[in-house]
Amino acid sequence: MFKSKIATLLGTMALSGALLLPAVPAQAAWSDWQSVSKAGSGCKVRVYTDATNYSAKATTVDAKAESNGKCGTLYYDMRLTWMGSDSMSHDITSGSFSSNTPTKSLKIGDVYENEKTYIRLYLFTDSAWTNDAGLVVSDTIYLTKNK
């Protein structure tokens, strides 16, 4: 009887302590610098995401791109791909930058099963989007089932 009460008390204390621990913050991530040789000698670009793991309650992935300053103006099409697919996306945004893009909030659509994906950044050197400069990808992103 005494051992049972002690075990219950210790278990309650352990659970209470665990509930008081601060939540682990989301881990933001920069991809490695990736060469974009068609945009000029020494041109490199990387992609930032505000986290790498997104819960079922998450509604957006915040992302931005940055160049090393040797690229000139780049025009981009930024996509949160669907299940890592090259042709389907949760959301798409576009624009141009010479040093970095503003942070873009890409909407997370329906996730029917846990998803391993990434941000794909298609780059062009002209405003008509006809002169392909290359492709840069973020670190892997994990989206949790939300449907």
Side-chain angles (χ1 to χ4, degrees), residues 100-113:
N100 57 2
T101 69
T103 300
K104 301 288 188 166
S105 292
L106 296 158
K107 293 178 185 164
I108 298 171
D110 293 341
V111 180
Y112 294 100
E113 59 186 65

Side-chain angles (χ1 to χ4, degrees), residues 47-49 54 60-65 75-95 97 101-102 104-109 115-124 129 132 134-141 143:
V47 178
Y48 166 89
T49 56
Y54 294 85
T60 62
V61 172
D62 289 346
K64 64 182 175 180
Y75 300 84
Y76 68 90
D77 178 19
M78 182 185 291
R79 299 172 182 227
L80 173 58
T81 62
W82 183 73
M83 296 186 71
S85 170
D86 294 347
S87 61
M88 297 190 316
S89 302
H90 286 277
D91 198 11
I92 301 170
T93 187
S94 59
F97 71 105
T101 69
K104 301 288 188 166
S105 292
L106 296 158
K107 293 178 185 164
I108 298 171
E115 198 174 306
K116 179 179 173 180
T117 190
Y118 43 86
I119 299 289
R120 291 177 69 90
L121 186 70
Y122 295 91
L123 298 169
F124 302 87
W129 305 73
D132 175 38
L135 170 69
V136 174
V137 297
S138 71
D139 283 353
T140 302
I141 296 170
L143 305 178

Side-chain angles (χ1 to χ4, degrees), residues 20-63:
L20 296 176
L21 291 175
V24 176
Q27 196 67 22
W30 279 103
S31 69
D32 290 335
W33 286 103
Q34 298 165 56
S35 292
V36 185
S37 58
K38 293 180 186 175
S41 178
C43 172
K44 292 185 179 183
V45 175
R46 63 182 180 167
V47 178
Y48 166 89
T49 56
D50 63 330
T52 53
N53 293 291
Y54 294 85
S55 73
K57 294 180 181 179
T59 57
T60 62
V61 172
D62 289 346

